[in-house]
Amino acid sequence: MNKEKFYITTAIAYASRKPHIGNTYEVIMTDAIARYKRMMGYDVFFLTGTDEHGQKIEDLAKEAGIEPQKYVDGVADTIKGIWDMVGASYDKFIRTTDDYHEKTVQHIFKKLYDQGDIYKSEYEGWYCVPCESFFTDTQVVDGKCPDCGRPVQRMKEEAYFFKMSAYQDRLLKYIEENPGFIEPESRKKEMVNNFLKAGLQDLCVSRTSFKWGVPVTFDDRHVIYVWIDALSNYITALGYDVDEKGELYSKYWPADVHIIGKDILRFHTIYWPIILMALGEPLPKKIFGHPWLLFGADKMSKSRGNTIYADDLVARFGVDGTRHYVLSEMPYNSDGSITYENFIARYNSDLANNLGNLVNRTIAMTKKYFDGTVPARGEVTELDRELITAVEEAKSAMFKNMDEYKIADAEDAVFTALRRANKYIDETTPWVLAKNEEDKPRLGSVMYNLLETIRVCANLLYPFLPSTSEKILCQLNTECKSLEFGGIEEGKAVGEAEVLFSRIDEAKMLAEIEAEMAAKAEAQKPVEKPEGLALINFEDFGKIELRTAQVVECEPIPKAKKLLKLQLDLGYEKRQVVSGIAKFYKPEDLIGKKVVMVANLKPAKLCGVESNGMILASGEDTVRVVFLDPETPNGERVC
């Protein structure tokens, strides 16, 4: 029997920098939907990847002193590594520097040019490098980009343009006839009222001011601009080309949903559909613009210094702990928020207390009262029906919300059932039932209902917490994937109880985080230029004689806590040097090491001990001696 197909994509991540958790949320959300659809029996194709061309990347590569391809190779590896780390179960990871993609983008551009949708002209306007977008005088706000708020540049260059205006009415009609095409509804109204009804301008689709892009085949001064290049990935990944559709394309296109951030909604709901219309291809069924994950109340950005990265969160809270927070804290239509205080509170409440404690004590009671075997399901009481109904309602609510992409509500539905199970334990008091032999059948029913509630909920949690779901089923010693109540096998031994989520000491962890952030901020501080230093000429510098030497003896100086007395071998003579490094080095740390010394410094007495030179070191609060390669000969001139 052929499965119904489901094609889902993320926006491809821009390969300029390491993505923060706000960027990573999108792939976690998309993965949850993909896993849910697979669980429901769909043939899923999940696409993600990286957008690797543009002026910003060309500039960053130049700053780094490497070729753009090498630069994006490194960033793409980082992005792919983070996607893998958070459990993204994608079927393909596309890069816009892949040969097949670049070739097809050139064919798309040529086809659109040949049929008159693209023409050459000249562009003059405001350009935002980070957003890679042009803006008119009326769109720019106080000389800054209306999207990201950064300064824009005035640019004038020859360019090719796409006739967006020719498709405006057709797209507007399509949106009106397909009410679910853009979601949430508020995003659709924004696109229609602010852009389509206001009138579309023709779109700049090539550039000549930089070279890092896909060349236009018939005009090599131009590279194809990012939005034709990047947006086309959704079909090139499936093997689409203008003259050949490919097996995957024929099977999976049109996409069932593009999951994208609200900041790039215009490009996906206006430019991309129009490009597809011009190519004569079907439009995606749905474009879902998710909100942002904010740091407190602010948008995350490297320039603000408020970025949180997925790998840091995973190191503290685990993969599923991280997935749970971002999925549960992101509303359907408004921005979510992340703070460490909220993260720890939700982790302790939902994962450690509600889920982890429920699983642990249920298996422990099964071991204690029934020798670790699943008891028989006995008579069903009103309390039991309430628990079973809560599980059934959780399943229905989860399905409904997942189908509407209300991910936080879907996951919360399952946790509502888990909370009901914890209450059920308090209501039935298994520890009291265990005291009387005549209550053993009732105790068996209670334990069966708890084990089965956990089994069903573990399967329902799979899209959100895949690793935890598998661990719970392993502890239950069952492979039953049925979502109907009553699937766990009576008389079968359960597995070993293990802690799923250890409760976090909030005060301790927040103190650790604060200390790490302070250290990181200190390390990132720019080094201030020393003041009051007189410039010297080359002749003055030439008077300083720096020589290599080996420390052959070292000892502290009595009554001088800061000083060490060193005997240095210059090869041609021995020297005694006194140095104020006792706070940072023990004598045994220095003996045998090769150092640099100022060999022509006038002798001086420190605490009554003569010093005939000085060894080089850096720092003030923390002193670091300059050590040389052990193979360095003694007495060499340093110049």
Side-chain angles (χ1 to χ4, degrees):
M1 184 173 126
N2 289 330
K3 294 181 178 180
E4 186 176 351
K5 69 89 182 173
F6 188 82
Y7 180 32
I8 185 170
T9 73
T10 67
I12 50 176
Y14 195 46
S16 58
R17 302 282 191 191
K18 176 181 176 180
H20 56 61
I21 189 61
N23 308 132
T24 310
Y25 162 74
E26 184 175 297
V27 78
I28 296 175
M29 174 191 177
T30 306
D31 178 71
I33 298 168
R35 287 178 185 270
Y36 164 70
K37 288 295 183 179
R38 291 191 194 105
M39 188 173 82
M40 301 304 289
Y42 284 79
D43 174 4
V44 174
F45 194 92
F46 170 14
L47 175 71
T48 188
T50 43
D51 171 12
E52 302 184 10
H53 292 125
Q55 183 177 346
K56 185 176 181 180
I57 286 174
E58 185 176 85
D59 291 346
L60 288 168
K62 188 175 181 180
E63 288 175 20
I66 57 177
E67 292 299 312
Q69 185 64 58
K70 187 173 181 181
Y71 183 88
V72 295
D73 285 347
V75 179
D77 283 348
T78 298
I79 293 171
K80 193 171 187 291
I82 292 173
W83 282 194
D84 292 340
M85 180 189 63
V86 297
S89 59
Y90 53 85
D91 295 283
K92 186 164 186 175
F93 189 99
I94 186 172
R95 298 178 57 185
T96 57
T97 53
D98 290 337
D99 290 345
Y100 70 89
H101 171 80
E102 292 189 346
K103 180 181 176 183
T104 303
V105 166
Q106 289 176 322
H107 294 168
I108 289 171
F109 193 93
K110 183 69 162 57
K111 175 182 172 68
L112 297 175
Y113 176 78
D114 288 344
Q115 65 190 32
D117 285 308
I118 288 177
Y119 63 93
K120 186 190 281 189
S121 185
E122 190 175 72
Y123 184 85
E124 183 174 5
W126 298 103
Y127 181 66
C128 175
V129 174
C131 294
E132 301 211 62
S133 298
F134 286 102
F135 297 98
T136 63
D137 290 339
T138 55
Q139 291 173 317
V140 169
V141 180
D142 297 326
K144 295 179 180 178
C145 172
D147 287 345
C148 72
R150 295 181 179 92
V152 291
Q153 305 171 5
R154 190 73 180 176
M155 300 192 72
K156 181 178 181 179
E157 64 179 287
E158 180 184 272
Y160 285 93
F161 289 80
F162 188 103
K163 295 179 181 177
M164 286 282 148
S165 53
Y167 293 88
Q168 176 178 309
D169 293 341
R170 182 175 163 186
L171 177 58
L172 191 56
K173 183 172 183 287
Y174 183 88
I175 293 172
E176 289 170 351
E177 292 176 351
N178 296 271
F181 178 58
I182 304 172
E183 288 186 352
E185 179 71 16
S186 59
R187 309 259 189 265
K188 179 175 79 173
K189 289 179 179 177
E190 178 188 350
M191 292 300 107
V192 170
N193 295 330
N194 293 356
F195 297 99
L196 280 170
K197 287 186 176 179
L200 290 180
Q201 293 184 331
D202 289 350
L203 179 68
C204 176
V205 290
S206 80
R207 299 292 303 279
T208 58
S209 55
F210 62 88
K211 290 299 181 185
W212 182 239
V214 180
V216 174
T217 53
F218 54 89
D219 192 344
D220 60 8
R221 289 184 59 248
H222 291 253
V223 294
I224 298 170
Y225 195 36
V226 63
W227 293 113
I228 283 187
D229 175 13
L231 290 166
S232 297
N233 91 90
Y234 303 124
I235 55 178
T236 64
L238 298 177
Y240 169 88
D241 208 335
V242 293
D243 298 320
E244 184 179 354
K245 301 301 170 68
E247 184 179 340
L248 285 179
Y249 180 83
S250 300
K251 180 180 181 180
Y252 288 108
W253 191 260
D256 290 87
V257 61
H258 291 319
I259 303 293
I260 59 163
K262 65 179 183 177
D263 51 331
I264 53 173
L265 197 65
R266 180 171 86 252
F267 309 108
H268 283 79
T269 59
I270 297 177
Y271 302 163
W272 178 226
I274 285 177
I275 292 168
L276 288 167
M277 285 177 174
L279 291 172
E281 300 300 329
L283 272 56
K285 295 178 184 178
K286 188 184 300 295
I287 298 166
F288 185 85
H290 65 77
W292 287 333
L293 185 64
L294 305 177
F295 180 81
D298 298 322
K299 184 181 177 183
M300 274 187 233
S301 75
K302 206 169 182 73
S303 60
R304 286 192 176 104
N306 62 357
T307 48
I308 298 176
Y309 296 102
D311 49 349
D312 293 331
L313 292 174
V314 168
R316 292 187 186 282
F317 305 102
V319 172
D320 282 2
T322 301
R323 286 174 66 103
H324 175 65
Y325 184 86
V326 298
L327 292 174
S328 61
E329 283 291 325
M330 182 71 86
Y332 173 74
N333 198 23
S334 56
D335 293 333
S337 174
I338 182 169
T339 66
Y340 283 110
E341 291 84 352
N342 289 346
F343 206 125
I344 295 168
R346 184 173 279 280
Y347 182 99
N348 283 338
S349 174
D350 291 352
L351 300 179
N353 292 353
N354 190 13
L355 174 59
N357 191 42
L358 172 66
V359 174
N360 192 274
R361 65 176 173 163
T362 298
I363 292 178
M365 287 190 290
T366 305
K367 295 271 189 185
K368 182 176 181 180
Y369 304 141
F370 293 95
D371 296 324
T373 59
V374 178
R377 184 183 186 186
E379 182 182 349
V380 178
T381 69
E382 186 59 33
L383 265 181
D384 301 340
R385 287 192 193 93
E386 288 180 16
L387 176 63
I388 295 167
T389 299
V391 174
E392 292 298 322
E393 288 176 348
K395 181 175 67 174
S396 298
M398 183 235 175
F399 290 175
K400 181 178 184 296
N401 284 303
M402 285 301 287
D403 289 337
E404 295 174 357
Y405 305 124
K406 295 176 179 177
I407 313 300
D409 293 336
E411 191 182 10
D412 185 62
V414 185
F415 275 87
T416 298
L418 294 169
R419 285 189 284 271
R420 184 65 188 85
N422 278 299
K423 183 182 177 186
Y424 177 80
I425 292 176
D426 296 335
E427 293 168 334
T428 56
T429 58
W431 51 91
V432 175
L433 294 173
K435 293 178 180 178
N436 302 305
E437 190 62 31
E438 61 269 24
D439 290 330
K440 195 77 178 279
R442 176 59 189 152
L443 177 61
S445 291
V446 169
M447 296 313 304
Y448 180 93
N449 291 331
L450 285 169
L451 290 166
E452 181 61 358
T453 296
I454 290 169
R455 186 196 65 79
V456 175
C457 288
N459 281 306
L460 291 174
L461 284 174
Y462 175 72
F464 319 107
L465 313 177
S467 176
T468 301
S469 171
E470 291 171 0
K471 287 178 181 176
I472 293 172
L473 294 176
C474 183
Q475 291 187 34
L476 294 175
N477 192 27
T478 181
E479 296 179 358
C480 181
K481 300 291 185 181
S482 170
L483 298 177
E484 299 302 320
F485 203 92
I488 199 164
E489 301 172 57
E490 296 177 6
K492 187 176 181 181
V494 297
E496 294 301 317
E498 295 180 10
V499 176
L500 294 171
F501 300 98
S502 298
R503 186 171 177 80
I504 295 170
D505 184 327
E506 181 178 0
K508 181 181 177 183
M509 182 172 280
L510 288 177
E512 290 173 357
I513 291 169
E514 187 176 347
E516 287 181 16
M517 291 175 70
K520 195 176 290 184
E522 184 65 29
Q524 292 174 349
K525 272 186 182 178
V527 179
E528 295 183 10
K529 183 179 178 181
E531 295 182 5
L533 295 179
L535 294 176
I536 61 172
N537 57 35
F538 185 78
E539 288 75 16
D540 291 331
F541 178 75
K543 295 175 182 177
I544 302 171
E545 186 178 348
L546 301 176
R547 294 278 179 178
T548 61
Q550 184 173 21
V551 182
V552 292
E553 293 179 31
C554 183
E555 60 183 346
I557 296 175
K559 299 182 181 180
K561 293 181 180 180
K562 295 182 179 180
L563 301 180
L564 289 178
K565 182 170 66 174
L566 299 88
Q567 302 298 328
L568 303 179
D569 182 2
L570 283 152
Y572 54 85
E573 67 180 40
K574 299 283 198 305
R575 290 279 191 95
Q576 177 173 288
V577 170
V578 176
S579 181
I581 56 174
K583 181 181 175 182
F584 309 99
Y585 292 93
K586 296 176 181 177
E588 56 266 30
D589 297 331
L590 297 166
I591 294 172
K593 294 290 175 62
K594 298 291 181 77
V595 296
V596 178
M597 72 169 292
V598 182
N600 61 337
L601 198 64
K602 288 182 179 179
K605 281 194 175 183
L606 300 174
C607 289
V609 180
E610 186 172 289
S611 179
N612 291 287
M614 177 189 294
I615 63 170
L616 295 192
S618 66
E620 294 177 3
D621 297 331
T622 300
V623 173
R624 301 174 183 85
V625 172
V626 177
F627 293 122
L628 299 174
D629 187 313
E631 300 300 317
T632 306
N634 295 342
E636 274 194 342
R637 182 78 184 264
V638 178
C639 55

